[in-house]
Amino acid sequence: MLFEQNRYMAVVFLDQDGIIKYLNETYLEILDLPRDQVVGRHVLEITPHSRAYITLQTGKAKVGYEWIVNGHHTLGTALPIFDGDKVIGVFGYTMCLDLWDGKNILDEILSNLNLYKDEVHRLHTAVYRFEDIYCASKAMTDIIILARQVANHPLTTVLITGESGTGKELFAHAIHNASRRCQRPFVRVNCAAIPENLLESELFGYEEGAYTGAKKGGKLGKFEVADMGTIFLDEIAEVPLNMQSKLLFVLQDQVVERLGGVHPTKINVRVIAATNRDLEKMVRSGSFRQDLYYRLNVVHIKIPPLRERVEDIRIITPHIMCNLSRRLNVSARKIDDSALSLLCKYAWPGNVRELENILERSLILAEMEGSRVVYSRHINISDEEIDFNLSEEKSLKNMLDEYERKLLAKTLENCQFDVPGAARQLNMDPSSLYRKLRKYGICIKKEFSIN
Ligand SMILES: Nc1ncnc2c1ncn2[C@@H]1O[C@H](COP(=O)(O)OP(=O)(O)OP(=O)(O)O)[C@@H](O)[C@H]1O
Ligand SMILES: [Mg+2]
């Protein structure tokens, strides 16, 4: 018989007197009894609360009742067997291990699902808040006011531009965290790091069997993962032109279609895009779609480079030092005034990220010396690097003069203080060089030393 082998179904036949005539192996396993101790006995002797026996008495089928046999949770059915009007037996079957395992499996799946949900949430969480953005400059304070306002408009697209390391990602996090979407996912996509041929499936997902090698069950795209939350399209300028048009469509209609899919899915996602490239220039040169640029550029947050906001260096430095000291477990937490002034004179091509790196190095050097204070000697910026930088106290004219003075003095020294030779090298008239040397008070004798 089919049910004889069925691991999940226990089967029993009772005759008209309630005597067990047959039962399968699964039932014996549940009862934990040998066949000869069961077959031929009355059903109530083996299972005193037998529902099959009630069916035998009433002639009424009982379907899908829950009961516990020998500690096993089961789902039973008892069907009367008729000969005309007369009940001549009962066929009972009970889904047992199946139900028991099923509940366990379901519990396990649910707890796993919660684990994965937590993990997805952890992976897609914005960590920074506006409170983490340190600044004192008017430019940055104004930008923060604008960014806080835009955070309140949960569907407004934001474009963040600025040189590398200026804090674009920091702002994207802060906007998400200050918005009503803060409990929902914040999904960062680094458009520069995803190979061109995978970008579409990463962003929009695919259905099972969409292409060879596609994962079973398909794949959720980042837009779907970010539903009700924020998607942060970092390095947006790196999106190839053909994908730019698809992106535009998604942004306009808030609808995504998975690769190989037939039904578009409605989404509700705020888009924040960032780049350190000049998108307007890219639009002019045809490498970035103008319509996409307009669509992204609803609110534009332009973060100025650090060298243009020297006041911020004074504020950011102690905070970064404090965080770094904790992370690196070093004791130095203070910076000497002249070291801080040195930092204020440097041009920071790598902006705050470079400041973090230089401070990290200086903290380690100070720690190695056993110093609790960071001094200028711990800061790895050479005088040459400082010389070429604009600082807040100097005008451009002063800077150019200073640069000229250094250049003339250095050339003169290289030419063994031969003024006509230096003039030739500098491609200028010797009389002009003499005039300038006088102007800058540069000594033309050999004992002159630069600085
Ligand atoms: N105003 C600030 N206050 C504190 N930390 C800052 C500030 N601006 C930037 N940072 C820190 O500088 C580092 C670089 O910031 P972020 O990654 O946001 O820059 P980015 O503009 O996205 O750079 P990239 O263009 O290279 O991706 C981060 O560690 C960030 O926390
Ligand atoms: Mg970034």
Side-chain angles (χ1 to χ4, degrees):
M1 272 185 267
L2 250 183
F3 43 72
E4 225 163 325
Q5 303 298 329
N6 193 326
R7 266 203 77 225
Y8 299 108
M9 194 192 283
V11 173
V12 64
F13 274 112
L14 307 182
D15 72 7
Q16 57 195 4
D17 302 318
I19 303 296
I20 297 172
K21 297 304 263 186
Y22 169 83
L23 76 180
N24 71 353
E25 284 303 319
T26 307
Y27 210 152
L28 287 171
E29 236 176 78
I30 291 179
L31 294 171
D32 199 18
L33 288 170
R35 185 174 291 276
D36 57 5
Q37 282 188 29
V38 183
V39 175
R41 307 262 301 269
H42 194 276
V43 66
L44 294 182
E45 282 181 73
I46 306 295
T47 49
H49 304 290
S50 168
R51 307 280 178 94
Y53 188 66
I54 298 173
T55 295
L56 189 66
Q57 289 178 315
T58 60
K60 288 201 176 118
K62 284 215 159 262
V63 179
Y65 54 86
E66 269 189 67
W67 73 308
I68 294 170
V69 200
N70 202 17
H72 292 270
H73 215 105
T74 73
L75 193 65
T77 292
L79 302 172
I81 304 166
F82 286 98
D83 182 8
D85 288 343
K86 195 166 171 250
V87 180
I88 56 160
V90 169
F91 170 60
Y93 63 91
T94 209
M95 304 297 292
C96 45
L97 299 175
D98 183 46
L99 176 73
W100 190 238
D101 285 357
K103 191 173 176 316
N104 281 348
I105 290 167
L106 199 63
D107 283 350
E108 201 179 315
I109 289 173
L110 284 178
S111 79
N112 277 342
L113 190 66
N114 284 335
L115 277 181
Y116 284 117
K117 270 190 187 163
D118 287 350
E119 186 62 11
V120 167
H121 198 244
R122 197 186 60 73
L123 283 173
H124 299 298
T125 303
V127 284
Y128 301 111
R129 293 160 193 284
F130 281 116
E131 293 72 35
D132 299 311
I133 305 180
Y134 301 109
C135 65
S137 62
K138 166 99 173 59
M140 283 297 274
T141 322
D142 288 350
I143 289 173
I144 290 181
I145 292 171
L146 172 68
R148 277 190 188 274
Q149 279 169 351
V150 83
N152 290 327
H153 298 272
L155 266 176
T156 304
T157 306
V158 186
L159 175 65
I160 309 177
T161 57
E163 286 180 12
S164 177
T166 43
K168 297 184 291 296
E169 183 159 353
L170 202 59
F171 267 88
H173 282 232
I175 291 171
H176 173 80
N177 270 335
S179 75
R180 267 176 280 155
R181 299 175 170 251
C182 60
Q183 295 302 324
R184 303 303 185 124
F186 171 86
V187 180
R188 175 181 179 244
V189 183
N190 183 352
C191 302
I194 302 170
E196 201 175 320
N197 58 336
L198 296 184
L199 192 57
E200 183 167 5
S201 64
E202 274 298 307
L203 289 175
F204 310 132
Y206 56 74
E207 294 291 351
E208 183 171 333
Y211 55 86
T212 14
K215 258 196 284 181
K216 201 168 183 302
K219 178 180 154 78
L220 270 184
K222 298 283 195 230
F223 271 94
E224 279 182 86
V225 177
D227 196 23
M228 302 311 289
T230 303
I231 192 163
F232 174 42
L233 301 174
D234 205 0
E235 316 280 3
I236 186 80
E238 310 314 315
V239 174
L241 271 171
N242 67 328
M243 273 301 294
Q244 289 177 19
S245 42
K246 290 182 185 158
L247 203 53
L248 178 68
F249 172 75
V250 174
L251 299 196
Q252 271 169 348
D253 295 14
Q254 288 269 317
V255 158
V256 282
E257 205 165 306
R258 293 189 193 167
L259 258 146
V262 278
H263 302 295
T265 312
K266 191 88 192 128
I267 47 161
N268 180 325
V269 174
R270 143 124 68 191
V271 176
I272 303 182
T275 180
N276 53 17
R277 295 183 57 187
D278 184 345
L279 281 187
E280 277 178 46
K281 201 164 152 198
M282 289 180 71
V283 168
R284 284 196 297 277
S285 69
S287 51
F288 201 84
R289 284 183 69 114
Q290 187 172 41
D291 42 13
L292 179 60
Y293 174 65
Y294 289 144
R295 187 69 196 76
L296 294 171
N297 192 17
V298 179
V299 170
H300 189 171
I301 291 181
K302 268 188 204 166
I303 310 179
L306 192 57
R307 67 184 158 279
E308 288 176 18
R309 41 189 175 102
V310 181
E311 317 91 286
D312 288 354
I313 299 176
R314 294 187 182 276
I315 295 283
I316 296 173
T317 301
H319 285 290
I320 292 181
M321 282 186 58
C322 194
N323 293 341
L324 281 172
S325 310
R326 223 176 297 127
R327 183 161 65 77
L328 300 170
N329 196 20
V330 295
S331 51
R333 303 239 158 141
K334 280 205 161 72
I335 183 158
D336 159 69
D337 278 350
S338 58
L340 193 56
S341 304
L342 182 68
L343 295 181
C344 292
K345 285 180 191 154
Y346 180 56
W348 301 110
N351 295 289
V352 186
R353 184 176 296 109
E354 190 183 6
L355 177 62
E356 282 177 338
N357 293 341
I358 289 208
L359 287 174
E360 178 164 347
R361 196 188 146 99
S362 67
L363 280 171
I364 292 168
L365 289 178
E367 176 79 3
M368 280 160 61
E369 262 186 27
S371 169
R372 294 177 71 89
V373 178
V374 167
Y375 293 103
S376 304
R377 63 175 181 279
H378 301 128
I379 291 173
N380 186 33
I381 301 173
S382 68
D383 283 351
E384 280 76 24
E385 284 171 306
I386 295 289
D387 281 348
F388 293 104
N389 299 325
L390 291 169
S391 84
E392 58 182 339
E393 306 96 33
K394 294 175 185 165
S395 69
L396 180 62
K397 168 96 179 60
N398 286 345
M399 287 295 300
L400 290 172
D401 282 355
E402 202 175 317
Y403 176 65
E404 192 172 50
R405 184 184 71 80
K406 295 247 168 178
L407 182 69
L408 300 186
K410 188 104 187 151
T411 314
L412 196 62
E413 192 187 42
N414 290 344
C415 297
Q416 309 291 314
F417 299 90
D418 165 19
V419 177
R424 260 197 311 282
Q425 199 167 323
L426 290 162
N427 200 17
M428 65 194 289
D429 192 71
S431 58
S432 308
L433 180 56
Y434 275 115
R435 204 173 49 249
K436 285 196 182 280
L437 292 175
R438 261 197 312 279
K439 172 184 162 192
Y440 294 123
I442 298 172
C443 181
I444 55 170
K445 300 222 176 71
K446 212 172 170 76
E447 57 271 18
F448 170 78
S449 87
I450 301 170
N451 290 325

